[in-house]
Amino acid sequence: MSIYLSGTLWVLGAAVISAVLVVITRRFGSDEVGEKNLGAGGSVFSIVAGLHAVLAAFILISLFDAANGAEEQVQREANSLVAVNWSSDSLPEPAKSKVDGLIREYVSIVVDDEWPRMREGEDVGNRGWTTLNQLRETIATSAPDGGWQEDRKAEAANQLWEVYQARQERLDASGGGISPVVWLALLIGTVLSLLFPYLFGGPNLISQLLITITLSSTLILLLFAIYQLQNPFSGGVLIPPDAFSSALDRLS
């Protein structure tokens, strides 16, 4: 099921449930009680809805920034791998060939093993880190001949450090998500915001239906967007491993 169909079903479900509840409360509730609640409840509803809107907006902005940052780190990690390969191309054998082979192995691990795990929010294991450590040891123990190769060795080590940093940030982004405490606050705020309108009366059933359906659909849509954005490697963002596949094509 596509994300667009899922979101539409969420919103339609919320709208239908809201409409049914409005009809039930109008049928069995008291309009007089609703009118009495309107003045006092309006101010309380404004505070609750306002706090909930601020929380939801803050989380959405944070998730958008995190998704953009994760995509940038993926590009940075892949480009730094290419830079390591280009820098180590001037190293003497067997270091040159070993570095090239380890980089290709690392890309294969990231694309074939780590990416599916990141989509599911699972731990990626230590294979990638082990390969990077082997790369570091290979570069560090190489025996350059002359100043030019010394400079290339230093540049390869610097670029490998960039890979380390970008990799760690990529893994942090895939395993971050939203804490249970924040989800609890979001759900409670949504429930309270949806319940308050049923305490208010109104002279027009159609107006109350439109207001309630619009409110519930908007709140559910916000929750759906937050849910889809909490892992940038799955859901609505779904960052692909294309940067690593492109990097593999650029390796010498």
Side-chain angles (χ1 to χ4, degrees):
M1 183 181 297
S2 69
I3 178 177
Y4 304 105
L5 180 58
S6 298
T8 302
L9 291 178
W10 278 42
V11 173
L12 287 178
V16 171
I17 293 174
S18 300
V20 171
L21 290 176
V22 168
V23 173
I24 292 175
T25 54
R26 289 293 294 247
R27 173 65 178 83
F28 298 102
S30 172
D31 288 341
E32 183 179 352
V33 174
E35 292 292 343
K36 291 180 180 179
N37 290 337
L38 186 58
S43 59
V44 177
F45 174 73
S46 298
I47 295 174
V48 173
L51 290 175
H52 183 265
V54 170
L55 176 62
F58 177 78
I59 293 174
L60 273 176
I61 293 173
S62 299
L63 291 176
F64 273 120
D65 290 341
N68 291 332
E71 190 168 6
E72 291 176 1
Q73 295 309 318
V74 168
Q75 292 287 345
R76 175 186 166 202
E77 183 180 0
N79 291 335
S80 296
L81 276 174
V82 175
V84 171
N85 181 267
W86 288 353
S87 299
S88 61
D89 193 51
S90 300
L91 295 179
E93 295 289 0
K96 172 185 173 181
S97 298
K98 188 174 182 180
V99 167
D100 181 75
L102 287 172
I103 290 177
R104 295 177 185 275
E105 178 183 348
Y106 178 77
V107 172
S108 177
I109 291 172
V110 170
V111 174
D112 299 331
D113 183 41
E114 293 186 351
W115 225 265
R117 293 175 181 268
M118 290 191 301
R119 288 198 185 104
E120 300 299 327
E122 300 176 355
D123 182 65
V124 300
N126 294 320
R127 289 184 61 198
W129 290 119
T130 301
T131 304
L132 286 185
N133 287 333
Q134 292 175 346
L135 260 173
R136 178 183 58 81
E137 292 174 2
T138 301
I139 294 173
T141 57
S142 63
D145 183 14
W148 168 251
Q149 290 188 353
E150 285 284 358
D151 292 340
R152 295 292 84 198
K153 175 181 177 179
E155 179 62 21
N158 291 335
Q159 293 297 333
L160 185 59
W161 176 241
E162 294 290 327
V163 175
Y164 268 88
Q165 291 180 309
R167 171 183 170 81
Q168 185 60 65
E169 293 182 15
R170 168 172 60 85
L171 297 182
D172 289 343
S174 67
I178 301 176
S179 69
V181 175
V182 176
W183 268 119
L184 180 63
L186 280 172
L187 293 175
I188 291 177
T190 299
V191 171
L192 291 176
S193 299
L194 291 176
L195 288 179
F196 265 111
Y198 298 105
L199 301 177
F200 308 151
N204 192 317
L205 174 61
I206 301 301
S207 298
Q208 189 175 3
L209 274 173
L210 290 176
I211 292 172
T212 307
I213 289 174
T214 301
L215 175 63
S216 61
S217 300
T218 302
L219 292 176
I220 295 301
L221 187 60
L222 284 174
L223 288 182
F224 179 77
I226 291 173
Y227 175 76
Q228 291 293 328
L229 290 173
Q230 64 178 344
N231 183 357
F233 298 96
S234 66
V237 182
L238 195 61
I239 299 175
D242 294 348
F244 288 94
S245 301
S246 176
L248 195 60
D249 294 336
R250 288 181 285 161
L251 295 180
S252 59

